[in-house]
Amino acid sequence: MESFRFQTLINVSDSQCFPRPGETKNYVVQKSTGQLLTNKMIPRRLLLHSFGFIPVLLNVPLVAEALEMKEPEVIRTQKLDSGVRIQDIIVGEGKEAREGDLVEVNYVCRRSNGYFVHSTVDQFSGESSPVVLPLNEREIIKGLKEVIVGMKAGGKRRALIPPSVGYVNENLGPIPDEFGPRRSLLSHVNEPLIFEVQLLKVL
């Protein structure tokens, strides 16, 4: 343990100047008074305690502050009977989408391992090309319809859509017009897909 050298001013007699057998004492003579200073080794922890620095107490404010911190808001997952799992990222404040409505949305589609498949938002420029989707199962995949119904304009949801309510039919939207993205999407229709959807308008 590291120690600090701590000098104490004491009055000693001649007999105290001579150490006992097997004992070593160090003395320093103070010139101004002729008194002796004992040179003692004081453990650093004892020295800190003498000044009121107790390591345990130093942590008390930090512990108290940690206890006062509010628990971060947790995004809760809703699981539907179809197997679709939905997370509300942003709760919108506009008109609510209902089955049969026409909606304008932006979306990003990824595989369940996070790999990008398709998006209406350009990854590099940030420019978006929103799509208009009818909320009926004849024209849109059932899983995505379930995700959008109940959303309010301005809202944003993330959802895991199992293949049983996904692209069971190649005519179901949303499907990109470009050959490359279309082929990429259709090559992953037999696995769960993650959609991040932003509802822009209810038309």
Side-chain angles (χ1 to χ4, degrees), residues 6 42-54:
F6 188 75
I42 306 295
R44 184 171 67 173
R45 180 174 295 179
L46 183 59
L47 182 63
L48 289 174
H49 283 204
S50 68
F51 288 112
F53 292 101
I54 302 176

Side-chain angles (χ1 to χ4, degrees), residues 24-36:
T24 302
K25 288 187 178 181
N26 296 321
Y27 293 94
V28 178
V29 177
Q30 189 179 43
K31 293 181 180 179
S32 59
T33 61
Q35 294 177 316
L36 297 180

Side-chain angles (χ1 to χ4, degrees), residues 97 103-105 148 151-155 197-202:
V103 294
E104 185 178 90
V105 300
I148 298 174
M151 288 183 71
K152 293 182 179 180
V197 185
Q198 183 178 21
L199 178 57
L200 303 175
K201 295 178 185 177
V202 178

Side-chain angles (χ1 to χ4, degrees), residues 19-182:
R20 298 175 185 171
E23 180 183 15
T24 302
K25 288 187 178 181
N26 296 321
Y27 293 94
V28 178
V29 177
Q30 189 179 43
K31 293 181 180 179
S32 59
T33 61
Q35 294 177 316
L36 297 180
L37 295 173
T38 59
N39 223 4
K40 296 183 179 180
M41 299 298 290
I42 306 295
R44 184 171 67 173
R45 180 174 295 179
L46 183 59
L47 182 63
L48 289 174
H49 283 204
S50 68
F51 288 112
F53 292 101
I54 302 176
V56 175
L57 294 181
L58 288 175
N59 292 330
V60 170
L62 298 177
V63 173
E65 185 178 346
L67 291 175
E68 291 176 2
M69 289 177 62
K70 294 181 180 178
E71 182 180 338
E73 187 176 347
V74 177
I75 300 176
R76 302 193 181 278
T77 302
Q78 176 187 3
K79 184 177 180 181
L80 307 181
D81 294 337
S82 61
V84 174
R85 295 176 181 268
I86 300 173
Q87 292 179 327
D88 276 299
I89 301 173
I90 299 172
V91 178
E93 298 179 352
K95 185 178 178 181
E96 183 176 327
R98 302 181 184 278
E99 190 161 354
D101 286 342
L102 275 177
V103 294
E104 185 178 90
V105 300
N106 272 324
Y107 71 87
V108 178
C109 176
R110 293 186 175 89
R111 298 172 62 189
S112 57
N113 60 9
Y115 283 101
F116 176 82
V117 177
H118 182 251
S119 174
T120 59
V121 181
D122 188 279
Q123 292 180 297
F124 302 102
S125 67
E127 293 181 3
S128 65
S129 303
V131 293
V132 174
L133 300 173
L135 298 182
N136 67 72
E137 295 175 23
R138 297 185 305 275
E139 300 179 67
I140 184 176
I141 59 174
K142 180 181 178 181
L144 188 57
K145 184 208 77 171
E146 292 181 344
V147 173
I148 298 174
V149 169
M151 288 183 71
K152 293 182 179 180
K156 191 174 186 181
R157 281 182 173 175
R158 182 183 296 119
L160 177 68
I161 298 177
S164 59
V165 287
Y167 291 93
V168 295
N169 184 330
E170 290 187 7
N171 296 320
L172 296 175
I175 293 183
D177 295 327
E178 302 85 356
F179 175 76
R182 182 186 181 94

